[in-house]
Amino acid sequence: SNHYYLAHSINLTQHPTPHSPGLKLKLKQNKTTMKLLIAALLPAVASAFVPTATRGIVASRGGAVATELALVTTGPSGKAASSKEEDLELTLQIILESLGNADDGDAVVDDEDDAPAANEEGKAEKKPKKKKKKKSPPQEAAPVEMDVSKLDIRVGIIREAWEHEEADKLFCEMIDIGEEEPRRIASGLRAYYDADDLVGKRVCVLANLKSRKLVGFPSHGMVLCACTDDKVVFVDPPADATVGERVMCDGFEGEPATENQIVKKKILDKVFPDLKTDNNGVATYKGVPLTAGSGSCAAELVDAMVS
């Protein structure tokens, strides 16, 4: 029979030779462990062949275990090998069978198409992706208190007053509140006052209201009055309060709202229910007097709503 020398270097840190396509040998141990494993497998390989001569084991070089098996005539199945390629394939088959019978789980044989390649030694491990910090939701601003401080009440004096030509209940007034020009304000007071009673009258004017037309007359503000079911009277500022001075309320300091905010946030609906005269006729907000100059604003009606 034909005899062939099987001289083949097996490096278990690389893929199998091109003579055995489709197979891949992956080991999970380091190089030292793999060398010991190959040394342990060599007797199994040698015993599977029928040698005619032995040339021995060549020393390892460059990290690979180089082995040179003897002249062989038959493989493990007893069939004679007819080429070097068949010898290599038989040798690899013996190694794979031995590895498959091992219980330590150090080696796995996979089809090249079924499993991803193992990471080679020396390759840097992938750095874990940094987790993006979740942005905390923005904190909601504290709700703004809607109190009397949002009303811009000014001390004023009526310079002119006349009856509206088209509205039976309205007076048309020119009121000085310390601005460059007097405010044009319409008041529904004709059932309670005459026009002559108004000229020169000191009043409290709610000034941060949007201008609007009342039966065609542009009215920019409101005169504060105390009212009951059958009577309406002006809320009078103190005698020493100056024209244009802001009416204040102790404990409710703050900047007044804008004209748009008065409408949008419905501030009048929230504040007016707490504006009243007390049993002395003093105008109050939640029981606290409205003040200007050196005194309090007051009306001739007691326990009456102010609006």
Side-chain angles (χ1 to χ4, degrees):
S1 60
N2 295 325
H3 299 283
Y4 297 96
Y5 277 110
L6 175 60
H8 180 52
S9 294
I10 302 174
N11 188 343
L12 293 181
T13 65
Q14 299 176 352
H15 298 300
T17 65
H19 303 296
S20 55
L23 291 177
K24 185 188 305 178
L25 184 60
K26 299 188 298 183
L27 294 179
K28 299 178 182 177
Q29 300 290 338
N30 57 28
K31 287 183 177 182
T32 303
T33 304
M34 288 189 284
K35 290 178 182 179
L36 294 174
L37 182 60
I38 289 298
L41 291 174
L42 287 177
V45 176
S47 63
F49 289 87
V50 180
T52 58
T54 301
R55 296 174 66 92
I57 298 175
V58 183
S60 64
R61 294 185 299 274
V65 178
T67 63
E68 190 175 18
L69 298 181
L71 281 169
V72 297
T73 57
T74 61
S77 61
K79 183 180 177 181
S82 59
S83 66
K84 291 183 179 181
E85 287 77 6
E86 289 186 12
D87 279 344
L88 292 175
E89 190 170 351
L90 291 172
T91 303
L92 181 60
Q93 180 184 349
I94 295 169
I95 294 174
L96 296 180
E97 288 176 355
S98 299
L99 288 175
N101 294 331
D103 294 329
D104 56 8
D106 287 339
V108 181
V109 177
D110 288 332
D111 190 272
E112 194 167 18
D113 295 329
D114 294 336
N119 290 334
E120 294 184 4
E121 262 188 77
K123 283 190 177 180
E125 293 183 0
K126 291 183 179 179
K127 293 182 180 180
K129 293 182 179 179
K130 292 183 179 179
K131 293 182 179 179
K132 293 183 179 179
K133 293 183 179 179
K134 293 183 178 179
K135 293 183 179 179
S136 57
Q139 294 182 349
E140 293 184 0
V144 178
E145 291 291 333
M146 297 300 169
D147 55 43
V148 71
S149 68
K150 299 305 174 185
L151 305 185
D152 188 10
I153 304 173
R154 301 284 173 171
V155 174
I157 184 169
I158 300 175
R159 299 299 185 186
E160 296 180 46
W162 65 94
E163 295 178 353
H164 195 293
E165 295 179 355
E166 299 179 16
D168 295 338
K169 296 181 179 180
L170 294 180
F171 280 122
C172 299
E173 304 144 1
M174 300 290 286
I175 304 177
D176 181 7
I177 59 172
E179 297 175 335
E180 291 182 0
E181 294 183 0
R183 289 281 187 106
R184 297 165 64 90
I185 296 175
S187 303
L189 299 173
R190 282 177 65 173
Y192 309 101
Y193 291 93
D194 294 328
D196 293 340
D197 297 331
L198 303 184
V199 178
K201 181 72 176 175
R202 291 168 62 84
V203 292
C204 294
V205 176
L206 180 55
N208 56 339
L209 298 179
K210 295 184 81 171
S211 179
R212 59 177 183 149
K213 287 188 176 183
L214 296 178
V215 196
F217 181 79
S219 179
H220 192 192
M222 175 191 294
V223 177
L224 291 184
C225 295
C227 52
T228 60
D229 292 339
D230 57 354
K231 194 171 183 180
V232 176
V233 297
F234 287 112
V235 173
D236 301 323
D240 64 347
T242 56
V243 171
E245 180 181 349
R246 186 181 178 194
V247 175
M248 303 299 291
C249 185
D250 189 27
F252 298 95
E253 292 79 12
E255 292 298 316
T258 65
E259 294 179 356
N260 285 333
Q261 287 173 336
I262 289 288
V263 176
K264 184 177 181 181
K265 298 187 177 182
K266 300 180 180 180
I267 293 176
L268 298 185
D269 294 340
K270 298 174 182 177
V271 176
F272 273 0
D274 293 311
L275 277 176
K276 303 173 183 178
T277 60
D278 62 14
N279 54 8
N280 294 316
V282 174
T284 66
Y285 174 73
K286 293 186 175 180
V288 181
L290 302 183
T291 61
S294 61
S296 300
C297 301
E300 296 176 0
L301 291 177
V302 298
D303 300 322
M305 300 301 297
V306 174
S307 61

